[in-house]
């Protein structure tokens, strides 16, 4: 059973098989651990950080990489309630990151600075969802 912290190989291969040239948005839904869980040999392992503190470290270190590849945060929201869906899926963080294309996303996660930053995300996250979507023109209708 996975905690949905990192993509599995099949999910990542499916992502890479999609069009890499078009803009994309990534919906991020994140539930944090109460206490961060760093690897034993990490400098912060003995600091008793919360998941929120570890995720803040992730944001501080990965944010410049996101900007360098032309990405940005398109939307952030605060979870309030689920009207339709599993009642146990409450989220601490919800945001949409936009990227000029999949190449930019892949450059970001391959960047050595990001690879150092992701340990904070792994320490912070209890479970998450990362959902790729293609932007569509805005209209006054749902579909």
């Amino acid at each position: 059973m996975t905690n949905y912290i990192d993509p599995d190989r099949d999910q990542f291969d499916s992502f890479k098989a999609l069009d890499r040239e078009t803009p994309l948005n990534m919906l991020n839904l994140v539930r944090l651990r109460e206490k961060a869980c760093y690897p034993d040999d990490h400098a912060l392992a003995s600091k008793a950080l919360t998941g929120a503190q570890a995720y803040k470290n992730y944001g501080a270190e990965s944010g410049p990489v996101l900007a360098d590849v032309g990405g940005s945060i398109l939307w952030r929201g605060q979870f309030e309630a689920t009207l339709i869906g599993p009642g146990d899926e409450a989220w601490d963080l919800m945001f949409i990151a936009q990227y000029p294309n999949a190449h930019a996303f892949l450059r970001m996660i391959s960047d050595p600075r990001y690879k150092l930053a992701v340990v904070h995300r792994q320490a912070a996250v209890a479970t998450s969802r990362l959902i790729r979507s293609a932007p569509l023109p805005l209209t006054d209708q749902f579909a």
Side-chain angles (χ1 to χ4, degrees), residues 91-110:
W91 305 105
D92 296 306
L93 303 167
M94 302 167 42
F95 61 95
I96 297 173
Q98 65 179 359
Y99 299 87
N101 53 47
H103 295 294
F105 178 82
L106 294 168
R107 269 196 324 275
M108 181 187 75
I109 64 172
S110 299

Side-chain angles (χ1 to χ4, degrees), residues 7-72:
D8 66 26
R9 176 52 52 196
D10 289 341
Q11 289 172 317
F12 194 61
D13 288 344
S14 294
F15 173 86
K16 292 189 306 184
L18 295 171
D19 187 347
R20 294 189 186 189
E21 303 302 327
T22 59
L24 64 104
N25 295 334
M26 298 291 267
L27 171 62
N28 290 255
L29 305 172
V30 180
R31 184 178 314 138
L32 299 170
R33 299 175 196 260
E34 188 174 319
K35 296 211 173 254
C37 185
Y38 282 96
D40 290 339
D41 62 345
H42 193 276
L44 296 176
S46 64
K47 300 295 184 192
L49 297 182
T50 65
Q53 290 169 315
Y55 205 88
K56 191 168 278 209
N57 290 339
Y58 167 66
E61 292 182 21
S62 66
V65 185
L66 173 67
D68 286 350
V69 301
S72 63

